[in-house]
Amino acid sequence: MNEIILIKNGELALKGLNRRSFEETLARNIQKAAAPFGGVKVWRSQSTMFVTPLEGTDIEEAVEAISKVFGIAALSRAAEVPKEMDAILPAVCEYLAEELSDAKTFKVNAKRADKKFPLKSPEICAAAGEFILERFPHLTVDVHEPDLTVTVEIRDTSAYIHKQPIKGAGGLPVGTGGRACVMISGGIDSPVASWMMAKRGLELSAVNFASPPYTSLRAEEKVKDLLRKVAEWSGEIRLHIVPFTEIQEAIRDYCPEDMLTVIMRRYMIKIAQIIARKDGALALISGESVGQVASQTLRALECTDAAADMPILRPVIGMDKEEIVTIARRIDTFDISILPFEDCCTVFTPKHPKTKPILEKIMQAEKALESDEINVAAMMEKAVRDTMLVIITPER
Ligand code: ATP
Ligand code: MG
């Protein structure tokens, strides 16, 4: 008996004329996700996507990987059998033997996409129900809340048998919305922000600011580990590691202490968007949430936004920490995020940062970095030049 995976698209159906290109992107993403486990062939028929494992593919692993592909509402492993009741009925009992033994109640659901099939849907249900009850006499039929729903789909080429589908990752296929560049720290929020934007169909690049020797190589490894988790959902991520020490020290030495955080964040934005643009990204992503820390008041956001001339997407802006943590646990980044390695943001944290920085005053203070003696523009150029590119692929 051949086993395949049936895919139910999510929002794709809404996309009208774009639908075709959305589906092509989704098909490519499914193939890429399953490739490490042996590979699959993806084909479409009658508005359903069929995923056929290539010989030797570990279907369990492939399903697990495909359940993280955005743009899928639901997926089912299904048995593929000839379109004859003589083949379908025994196949139902064989393919779902374990589930039928474990359940107390069941129902049969028939879908007849091939209108030429001799039996109508209710007749298929009745025949299958009767056949199952004969072989699993402990079962009773419950059409409202069954333990097990057996679905028989009659399509053009074959019949398919499956139980309840599992939930897909939702969202839109990565690559259908263009590219954005996430400012990734080792914290809890920015990996979640990355995941949320990938879910909306964006391809990801990432920028991390490192300040050795204040920050360690372990901190860099932590960022890579976090992105590897995100990449299981988003696909490959281009990570740029920016040497930020010189600029941070200049800010520390030449700007008022209570403005350090905001000024540092403005320089991060300025550098990030140069790198983002080179990478083809049209927006930055950050993990800020209003009120979470001093640099995340509306006044502070006004100051960081003013340093940007591309949109800054902040998907967790209105979320409580607890809500962000729930997603971090779901995508398995939480345990990595809480490892205690210094981020460059924390190394020069002022004791009393300004919670209501005034943009004009901040820009005035930044003038101290633009003298002959200390040329921040040249430092920025150098930081961009010395940035290291690391290609992050999924962990497994
Ligand atoms: P996170 O949990 O993502 O670290 P946070 O609550 O600690 O966020 P901040 O440290 O103020 O908040 O950082 C706010 C945002 O700035 C982060 O979500 C991230 O997008 C960006 N950011 C902070 N540090 C860095 C860094 N070293 N490199 C790149 N981006 C950073
Ligand atoms: Mg942080």
Side-chain angles (χ1 to χ4, degrees):
M1 206 176 329
N2 275 341
E3 214 181 1
I4 64 148
I5 305 162
L6 293 173
I7 303 286
K8 190 164 165 280
N9 297 345
E11 273 179 60
L12 280 188
L14 305 174
K15 296 293 170 192
L17 287 177
N18 285 334
R19 182 175 174 143
R20 210 187 158 76
S21 85
F22 272 64
E23 282 184 341
E24 276 163 12
T25 306
L26 178 57
R28 241 189 342 265
N29 293 351
I30 290 172
Q31 259 162 345
K32 272 192 222 155
F37 310 107
V40 295
K41 203 178 108 210
V42 183
W43 48 288
R44 272 164 295 172
S45 161
Q46 296 176 306
S47 76
T48 299
M49 262 188 184
F50 296 77
V51 178
T52 314
L54 302 181
E55 204 164 310
T57 295
D58 184 331
I59 190 161
E60 198 93 34
E61 299 260 39
V63 168
E64 164 78 17
I66 293 169
S67 72
K68 293 179 176 167
V69 173
F70 291 125
I72 297 175
L75 61 160
S76 311
R77 282 169 76 157
E80 185 178 46
V81 295
K83 286 196 318 189
E84 297 147 14
M85 290 309 276
D86 284 351
I88 293 170
L89 297 178
V92 167
C93 292
E94 189 192 328
Y95 183 60
L96 297 176
E98 211 179 301
E99 289 82 355
L100 288 164
S101 303
D102 292 346
K104 290 197 177 66
T105 58
F106 81 107
K107 76 169 177 185
V108 181
N109 172 22
K111 290 185 189 163
R112 191 164 149 271
D114 170 13
K115 299 298 176 204
K116 292 201 276 304
F117 191 73
L119 270 64
K120 298 217 160 55
S121 295
E123 293 165 342
I124 300 170
C125 289
E130 193 179 326
F131 196 89
I132 290 169
L133 283 170
E134 266 170 32
R135 278 150 194 83
F136 297 87
H138 73 283
L139 283 171
T140 51
V141 174
D142 178 349
V143 292
H144 300 296
E145 271 183 52
D147 297 336
L148 175 68
T149 302
V150 174
T151 299
V152 177
E153 297 192 28
I154 312 288
R155 293 186 171 266
D156 277 349
T157 45
S158 303
Y160 299 92
I161 298 159
H162 58 87
K163 55 182 176 178
Q164 289 96 323
I166 59 170
K167 217 166 145 19
L172 299 169
V174 168
T176 55
R179 180 177 288 274
C181 179
V182 60
M183 299 177 59
I184 185 88
S185 68
I188 296 169
D189 307 328
S190 43
V192 170
S194 319
W195 179 84
M196 287 176 79
M197 294 324 302
K199 187 165 194 266
R200 295 312 300 164
L202 304 190
E203 270 179 300
L204 299 180
S205 296
V207 184
N208 175 251
F209 292 89
S211 295
Y214 305 103
T215 59
S216 63
L217 269 181
R218 303 275 297 276
E220 232 171 89
E221 286 308 313
K222 180 180 173 184
V223 166
K224 290 182 204 164
D225 288 344
L226 286 169
L227 287 179
R228 264 183 221 112
K229 292 287 183 187
V230 175
E232 286 181 28
W233 305 78
S234 69
E236 183 183 288
I237 301 172
R238 298 164 54 81
L239 166 64
H240 305 268
I241 301 174
V242 184
F244 199 47
T245 316
E246 198 186 16
I247 294 173
Q248 255 194 312
E249 285 175 339
I251 298 170
R252 178 195 61 190
D253 295 342
Y254 291 87
C255 299
E257 197 201 331
D258 60 357
M259 297 185 184
L260 292 187
T261 309
V262 175
I263 294 178
M264 182 191 73
R265 298 192 56 72
R266 281 169 52 83
Y267 278 99
M268 281 187 178
I269 301 269
K270 288 179 194 180
I271 294 171
Q273 67 186 6
I274 296 171
I275 293 168
R277 248 190 216 106
K278 279 203 211 170
D279 232 10
L282 297 176
L284 296 176
I285 301 169
S286 117
E288 287 154 312
S289 156
V290 165
Q292 204 185 78
V293 289
S295 61
Q296 298 176 20
T297 61
L298 284 187
R299 281 289 183 203
L301 292 178
E302 181 188 18
C303 293
T304 38
D305 265 356
D309 44 38
M310 59 168 55
I312 304 177
L313 309 177
R314 298 181 169 100
V316 306
I317 196 75
M319 289 167 74
D320 294 346
K321 197 73 184 186
E322 204 182 304
E323 294 170 304
I324 300 172
V325 165
T326 301
I327 297 181
R329 286 192 195 280
R330 175 171 168 213
I331 64 174
D332 208 19
T333 53
F334 183 77
D335 290 340
I336 304 172
S337 290
I338 58 175
L339 295 173
F341 305 120
E342 289 286 283
D343 178 63
C344 76
C345 274
T346 41
V347 291
F348 298 142
T349 311
K351 279 186 218 68
H352 304 289
K354 272 206 189 317
T355 54
K356 291 181 185 149
I358 303 300
L359 181 57
E360 276 161 37
K361 291 191 179 154
I362 296 287
M363 289 171 76
Q364 191 61 39
E366 285 173 355
K367 292 224 166 80
L369 301 171
E370 293 159 13
S371 64
D372 286 343
E373 180 193 353
I374 179 114
N375 181 348
V376 76
M379 285 182 188
M380 283 171 56
E381 262 174 45
K382 183 164 186 298
V384 171
R385 214 169 38 239
D386 293 345
T387 289
M388 196 173 71
L389 172 65
V390 185
I391 304 288
I392 304 288
T393 50
E395 189 179 52
R396 302 175 327 132

